[in-house]
Amino acid sequence: MTAMDDRHWMDRAIALARRGEGRTRPNPPVGAVVVRDGICVGEGYHHRAGAPHAEILALRAAGAQARRATLYVTLEPCSTRGRTGPCTEAILAAGVTRVVVGAVDPNPRNGGRGIRRLRRAGVRVARYRAPAECEELLRPFACWVRAGRPYVTVKLAVSLDGRIADARGRSQWISGPASRRRVQAMRRRVDAVLVGVRTVIRDDPSLLCRERGRHDALRVIADPAGELPLSARVLTDGEAHRTVVATTRRCPDKKRAAFAARGARVDVLRGAGEGVSPRALLKRLGNMDVLHVLCEGGGLLAGALARAKLVDEFALFMAPVFLGDRALPCLRGVQWPLARAPRLDVIESERVGEDVFVRVRPRAGTREA
């Protein structure tokens, strides 16, 4: 196999892994491909926790053709028994002679163990030469393992002057149809969609992914005082069991009981100022095995997460419009002098319909975990 071959087949494994994004918690999405004599003889991806791992599905599909084949897998094969058996033992039993690993397990207790087990048994194990895409797949899982909280993406539709709504609070629609379709794809890939209660009061969103297929992401409403209307779609659309109301002791007991009666989960958390503590909220979601949260606003919640240095990346849909100085800013309650303002690295930028999509992350050394 050449480096070009490795690139081709690992690209296929990555594409497979992406099919499982948002569905595997608390496991990471993983894809695997078995190749013999330059031909794919089996492939698979991890569908959900408790189901067979990607390697097992790929080996099953390959059958006897896995003997003397190469296995490409986006994450180091597991070597311990959980809900399923160790993938390393299945690889050895199948007679695979070479394994190309996209990324090492980010869990320090397990990282490297699978590779060592295979090498001790005589399997040639190679680290993929361009691991960035595989590591990108693992970012939410790595954050959850290392920090005990989900990875946080703050999505904002903003005007060119950084506003998310006009002076009267109207935000529909700043971004165009193509951007809104992209948001649906983003929802499919996460474990929870988070908004502040003001967003629900103003827009009454469903927060569900409208793409076809199985999606069971949670809808998390930060509602410190119990203002969420009982008529809101997140409580009345038949999917209330997927709604989490994160509140504080300021929420009246009757309102908490009413939320629960409609099927929602109610978590009473520590307050921070006038809101729910972002750290307490993310810790609770981490304990619920949530790996990746997409925060869709509003400005108060986004500002609170930014002040607490809990935003792992911003996904900005920038529309070609100005709204002026009385319109609502994208990060409310935030003030940094220029010399101390967090610096961001642009990870991705592209035209989406009439808008510009920009994904940025805090520069290394400028934020806390």
Side-chain angles (χ1 to χ4, degrees), residues 196-218:
V197 69
R198 292 295 172 189
T199 296
V200 179
I201 292 171
R202 183 181 66 243
D203 299 333
D204 194 22
S206 76
L207 303 178
L208 298 177
C209 176
R210 292 191 289 272
E211 289 189 351
R212 292 182 178 180
R214 174 183 168 271
H215 307 289
D216 58 358
L218 299 174

Side-chain angles (χ1 to χ4, degrees), residues 2 92 141 185 228 291 338 366:
T2 66
L92 296 175
F141 178 70
L228 179 64
L291 305 184
L338 180 59
T366 64

